[in-house]
Each structure stands twice: as structure tokens, then as C-alpha cells.
Amino acid sequence: MTPQEVLQTYFGYDAFREHQQDVIERLVAGSDAFVLMPTGSGKSLCYQIPAVIRKGVGVVISPLIALMHDQVAGLRENGIRAEYLNSSLSADDAARVEEKVRSAQTDILYVAPERLFTPRCRRLLDDMNIALFAIDEAHCVSQWGHDFRPEYLRIADVTRQFPKVPRVAMTATADDVTRREILRKLELTEARQFISSFDRPNICYRVRLKDNGKRQLRGFIRDEHAGETGIVYCRTRRRVEEVALWLEEQGINAVAYHAGLAPEKRLTAQKRFAREEGIVVVATIAFGLGIDRPDVRFVAHFDIPMSMEAYYQETGRAGRDGEPADAWMIYSLGDVVAARQMLMRSEGDETFKLIQQRKLDALLGYCETMACRRQVLLRYFGEVRDEACGNCGTCRSGGADAWDGTVAAQKALSAVYRTGQRFGAQYLIKVLLGQEDERMQRFGHDRIKTFGVGGELTAKEWRSVFRQLIALGFLTVEMDRRAGFVLTDKSWPVLRGEQDVQFRKDAAPKKSKREKRPEMDLDPTASDLWEHLRKLRHEIAQGLEVPAYVIFHDKTLKEMAVQRPATREDLLQVSGVGETKADRYGDQFITAITDWESRSA
Ligand code: ADP
Ligand code: ZN
């Protein structure tokens, strides 16, 4: 079969996406490849199709043991003979799998890296016919990354024994340094590299000011994502539990996840996230690697992440299926202060802290940007876009308003300086507004030049000024004591009148309106049928103990609801329906559609 035929027959898709065909052809021809493409761009197909075409078994090395079961189930639903070997299998089951692999009754075998080096697995590799090696999440080889897996360093020792077998390494996260590290440590320096844009066009990036975080979050979920699956990231464990509980009280199906939970609880949360429709996981960053669900409709940041890398990776878990998804974040002056302080208190030498500081600066700059958010995000990763995207908060609201904040900045910085760089926003704003109290009198701050000069702005507007000054690096936060604000090198040019400052006008907290994107919406008739089909899918998935998307993706189901296929041939036209699924579920879905039509006629 040709790659195109496999794509249609097994996966039910019409056309390849960028790079897929090139990678596949290369592997089929027996050469190596390195694939750097963002989440959701279709990396798996790049090794799955050659594994089907080439003689022998494609060996996929993946650290995501928890996902293997569902990945294999998904492939089998497409008619591909897939197996896995990891520590969750009993000895008997493992022996059965090995037998199938040895007797060439398998197309794809998933293996946990630690398994690869066992003498038993070595014997298996020697006895079998290997079609290719696919090394998934290749960035795990990097000692500097947070997903480092020591076993990954030994993968090359194994693949070196099979010099004729083509190899492909894949990742969605790699800066230049990491990329070179991957190629070197996996001995792939000769491999052809396929690198895609980091853009995730279906994700809409939005950042809002936090005023009542929980209520804003509830509004966002209820108005825009009712009954859908999402992830809410919080910084601390305590906040995770608090927010999860609160959402549950509000009637939203939510579950908490953080590293401090008992292992059984974590496992339950993970299982629920993998299986349930319309579940919201509230989590710390510990909830990360291993989230493979394609239909996550939103990622909400209740607290700001510490870097653009983290933000990109966390938001990237939304919308892997290519359907519209939201990356939504709220933040406040308090968060900015807390993030800066957390960094300064963290362990590590000065250089390390400086790097972390720069990373946080970039993220804060992104929060406060007046430009298209996607442009800023991509520029951080070295991609320059001339056009605004049209699908971010800034673009959709017609651009952010700026105001000349030079004088306000001078007043605020001067208030900091003249009160001895010891106080936080609350006190400083009182000084600026001329609201003396007993403490202020005691310090004599009611007599300084800055006292009462800030009447042109409200307390709330002054908070916005301080937040932006800190975010933009014109002020920083004292390390010890009580988070007093301190001037930086950047403060002086402003105070001396040598530099202008532009501030972003904070959008008035709108009553959150329904902002659903049209392409996501089906007309009422189609959406009634879609609900029907969803129920059917749910029953089938439960019976088989697999996630619903393993049966059909949302996109496929929606297309069915619109096109209403009446025959097997019609059904095969729907994207995501291959021969095997048409055989297995065609009748059930066609019957459901005809029944629904006769009932609603
Ligand atoms: P990645 O591993 O890069 O995160 P996946 O391989 O999981 O991405 O693919 C993401 C989604 O895109 C999956 O639902 C997959 O079935 C779908 N997909 C991949 N290639 C195509 C294609 N050529 N046409 C349509 N859908 C595709
Ligand atoms: Zn934009």
C-alpha cells in the first residue's frame, strides 16, 4: 500500500498535513528523521504509517506508560495490530504480546524505555523483524529539561545494534540547544530534520485582569465551555484544592490533581480525565506529560506560569484535535509580586536566578502586551509574523488601548523612592492619593513631595500602574520582609524624564458574553443529532472501556451530524472514518441517524 492508501483506508483522512508525507516516505525508504512539530500536528502518523507499510514491527519507545493502553486501543479501532509492553502487564500477558511480536502478527509495538534494556527485551528484539524505531518525546533525553528520563540516554546503545533499521525521533518541545542535544545523544546527527511552525492556529489566546478570580473562572466555563473538558492550572496545591472544591459546589464536574495527593487519588483523577466527557481538572504543573486527550477545549491559568516555555507547553494541551480551543489566563498585581518573590527565594546560584528572572520578564511582558498575542508568543520562539492573527484576545477586541503613562510612572516611582523603598502598593497608593493615616504621619510620609499628587487616577488605576511597572521591570520586589517595591536600573531614566512609558488600558471587566466561535457551533438541528450520536459513542466507549475519542473524534461526529450519511459509502466520506471503523460501527451510527431523522420528521 502507498502512504496515501494507508491514510485513507486505516485512518479515514483525505490528505497529509505539512511534512507528514515527506517523513513517511523517508522512513519507508529506510532513512532516519527528526521531527519537531507542535502538539496536535500529527506526529504519530509519521511513524504509524511506515510501520504498517514496512515489513516487520514498528518499535515505539515512549515514556508515557499511562497512555499506551489508550493509544493501542485507538490503533486497533483503526484496524492496525498494535501491542504494548510495560510494567502494567502481567507476566502472562507480556509473554502473549512477545509471542505475537515474534510471529509477526503485530504492526506496532509500544515499549517503555526502561523495558528496552532488559535481557528479555534484547532477546525479543534479536528474534523479531524490526520495521523502524520511533522515539517519542525525544526531549526526555535532555538533562536540562524538566522531563528528563535517564533511560533515554541509553536508547542509542540499543538502536546502534540495528544499523539497518530506520529511526525517527519526535518532540514538540525543543529550543536550539535541546534539539542539538537530542540529535547528539540519540546519534541522529545525520538525520533529516523536519521542523514546523510553532503556531497553534486553533487556540485563541486571552489574558484578563483578575478581579474576582473564581467568579471569572466560573463565568468563563459556564458561558463558553459548559459540559466541555478543560484544565485549570493553579500555582499551589492549596489553591488547586480550593478551586476544585469551589467549582464542584458550583455544579461543574471538577477534580483536583497535584503531586501531594495520595497515589490512588492521583490515579483516579488521571483516569477520570482520560475517560469522562466534560471534566475539568484543576491542577498544578505536576499534571503534564502524558496528557494526550485530543478534545481538551480550554486551558485556564488561574495563576501565571513562570515562563513563556511553560505557558506554551501548558496551553498547548488544548485543542490537539485542531478544533477551536481557548487559552485563558487571569492575573493581578498580587500574582506579579508573588511570582517575582517566589523566584528570588528559590534555590540556585545567581546565574540560574538571572535566567529564570528573564524568563519571567518575558512572560509578564506578554501579559501586558498591546500587540497581537500570537505575534508576541511566536516571536519569543523565533518566528516572526507580520500580520496580526485575528484569533487572540487583542485581535478580537479590536486591539488594546494604550495611554501615555510617563507622568504617572514618575509619580509612582517617586513615591517608592521617597518612602524609602520599603512599602507595597497599598501604602504607596494611599500616599499618592493623599490619604494619610497614623502610620504615615509617624513616618512623616504625609510631608513628602509625592504626597497627594495622584488624584487624577483612582486607586484601581494606580494598582494597574504598579502592576505594569513591575511587569515591565521598572520596579521590582524586595526579597525579604514584606514585598516592598524597589527601584531598578530601568527606573532612573523614567524618573529623570529621559524615557516615556506607555501603559495598557485595562479592559473593563465585561459581563462575560457568550463568545463561541461560529465554526464550533452546529445549527440547532445538527446539534440535536450530535447530542444523540455522542450518547451512542459514549455507550460504545464504555462497553469497550476506552475513551470516547478512540471510537470517533468530536470532529468526525460533528461531520456526521451535518452530513447525515445513509450508506457505508457516505460514511467513508466523513473525515476520520476508515474501513475498520465503518465495518465496526457503521451500522450502529447509520441506524441512529435514520432513526433520529424519522423521529424528527
Ligand atoms: P501529535 O502527536 O503531533 O501531538 P497526533 O499524532 O496525536 O499529534 O495527532 C493529532 C490529531 O490530528 C489526531 O487526532 C490525529 O488523528 C489527527 N491527524 C493527524 N494527521 C491528520 C491528517 N493528515 N488529517 C486529519 N487529521 C489528522
Ligand atoms: Zn492576534
Side-chain angles (χ1 to χ4, degrees), residues 313-529:
Q313 202 174 41
E314 284 153 25
T315 55
R317 291 170 185 139
R320 293 177 64 125
D321 54 9
E323 295 275 286
D326 275 311
W328 181 91
M329 170 156 74
I330 47 174
Y331 83 120
S332 66
L333 173 60
D335 292 331
V336 178
V337 172
R340 283 246 193 265
Q341 271 200 312
M342 190 160 126
L343 253 190
M344 284 185 288
R345 278 202 224 99
S346 66
E347 315 255 307
D349 61 21
E350 286 310 308
T351 327
F352 176 80
K353 278 189 189 173
L354 200 67
I355 293 171
Q356 301 305 311
Q357 190 70 47
R358 295 233 175 90
K359 289 187 180 228
L360 178 63
D361 285 345
L363 190 272
L364 293 175
Y366 168 82
C367 290
E368 297 291 353
T369 187
M370 279 171 266
C372 163
R373 296 205 179 275
R374 191 179 314 274
Q375 278 179 330
V376 177
L377 186 62
L378 290 175
R379 189 176 330 120
Y380 183 81
F381 294 105
E383 277 182 50
V384 178
R385 289 280 166 110
D386 296 331
E387 306 256 302
C389 76
N391 188 30
C392 73
T394 313
C395 288
R396 288 226 239 134
S397 64
D401 289 333
W403 58 287
D404 180 357
T406 310
V407 175
Q410 285 166 345
K411 288 177 180 176
L413 295 176
S414 153
V416 170
Y417 183 64
R418 288 173 195 277
T419 53
Q421 311 192 51
R422 287 182 292 145
F423 297 93
Q426 212 177 348
Y427 186 85
L428 294 166
I429 291 171
K430 279 187 169 178
V431 171
L432 284 160
L433 294 176
Q435 301 167 343
E436 82 251 55
D437 57 16
E438 185 264 325
R439 190 161 64 132
M440 213 176 286
Q441 286 163 354
R442 187 148 40 87
F443 290 131
H445 291 159
D446 54 344
R447 292 190 298 279
I448 60 173
K449 253 175 95 178
T450 325
F451 182 77
V453 296
E456 75 275 23
L457 298 181
T458 63
K460 196 170 172 186
E461 286 163 334
W462 280 117
R463 283 186 81 74
S464 168
V465 167
F466 279 110
R467 186 193 78 241
Q468 298 192 52
L469 285 173
I470 292 179
L472 302 173
F474 292 109
L475 273 181
T476 188
V477 184
E478 198 176 42
M479 185 159 17
D480 343 293
R481 289 196 286 177
R482 298 167 313 131
F485 295 168
V486 185
L487 300 187
T488 69
D489 293 346
K490 279 177 85 177
S491 315
W492 294 104
V494 178
L495 277 168
R496 287 196 296 259
E498 293 161 9
Q499 190 186 335
D500 291 347
V501 182
Q502 290 273 307
F503 286 129
R504 181 188 168 94
K505 214 173 253 173
D506 289 340
K510 269 186 301 194
K511 275 236 140 287
S512 66
K513 270 199 316 277
R514 213 180 150 74
E515 268 191 64
K516 280 231 162 167
R517 255 105 30 239
E519 63 264 46
M520 196 60 179
D521 280 339
L522 297 168
D523 66 44
T525 329
S527 84
D528 187 62
L529 176 54

Side-chain angles (χ1 to χ4, degrees), residues 49-271:
I49 291 182
V52 170
I53 295 176
R54 279 179 69 90
K55 226 173 104 220
V57 183
V59 176
V60 186
I61 302 156
S62 165
L64 310 177
I65 294 177
L67 296 182
M68 286 182 183
H69 176 266
D70 290 350
Q71 277 171 330
V72 163
L75 284 168
R76 287 185 185 164
E77 287 303 319
N78 282 330
I80 293 168
R81 299 171 303 172
E83 302 289 343
Y84 65 88
L85 280 175
N86 66 33
S87 50
S88 74
L89 289 185
S90 68
D92 280 355
D93 284 339
R96 255 191 297 275
V97 169
E98 286 169 8
E99 183 42 42
K100 278 194 196 159
V101 171
R102 280 201 171 83
S103 58
Q105 296 174 54
T106 305
D107 301 309
I108 298 181
L109 173 70
Y110 285 83
V111 188
E114 57 278 10
R115 192 104 180 179
L116 205 58
F117 318 114
T118 60
R120 186 165 163 169
C121 193
R122 284 307 310 272
R123 276 198 303 278
L124 180 65
L125 289 174
D126 287 332
D127 290 352
M128 68 194 268
N129 214 328
I130 308 171
L132 57 87
F133 284 112
I135 302 145
D136 205 2
E137 311 290 347
H139 63 281
C140 289
V141 82
S142 164
Q143 260 140 314
W144 309 110
H146 42 57
D147 293 333
F148 176 55
R149 304 283 167 122
E151 309 86 43
Y152 262 62
L153 295 172
R154 294 170 58 200
I155 291 177
D157 295 338
V158 175
T159 55
R160 210 181 295 130
Q161 311 295 317
F162 304 91
K164 294 226 168 64
V165 176
R167 293 168 298 149
V168 57
M170 285 159 300
T171 178
T173 39
D175 47 63
D176 251 13
V177 181
T178 316
R179 172 153 52 106
R180 264 173 285 159
E181 205 181 348
I182 293 173
L183 296 174
R184 195 163 31 85
K185 291 191 177 149
L186 294 178
E187 298 176 5
L188 278 168
T189 42
E190 304 290 308
R192 170 116 177 257
Q193 303 184 22
F194 297 89
I195 299 172
S196 294
S197 162
F198 266 66
D199 189 18
R200 302 283 313 277
N202 60 317
I203 299 182
C204 174
Y205 298 95
R206 285 191 277 167
V207 182
R208 318 222 74 199
L209 212 58
K210 191 192 278 180
D211 53 24
N212 183 329
K214 282 190 202 145
R215 258 200 276 143
Q216 285 172 292
L217 178 65
R218 180 185 64 189
F220 167 68
I221 296 177
R222 274 197 190 157
D223 295 346
E224 299 183 45
H225 293 287
E228 296 182 330
T229 296
I231 306 170
V232 178
Y233 281 110
C234 300
R235 179 158 312 135
T236 63
R237 297 172 181 184
R238 214 177 70 199
R239 182 112 84 185
V240 162
E241 298 197 358
E242 188 188 309
V243 171
L245 190 66
W246 191 80
L247 287 178
E248 272 193 294
E249 285 166 6
Q250 303 299 309
I252 292 167
N253 183 22
V255 60
Y257 184 99
H258 59 72
L261 291 175
E264 345 42 285
K265 278 201 166 173
R266 263 188 289 165
L267 205 64
T268 315
Q270 246 166 356
K271 277 218 176 106

Side-chain angles (χ1 to χ4, degrees), residues 285-301:
I285 49 168
F287 191 64
L289 193 67
I291 302 174
D292 208 19
R293 214 182 146 135
D295 57 349
V296 175
R297 292 272 67 84
F298 68 90
V299 169
H301 279 95

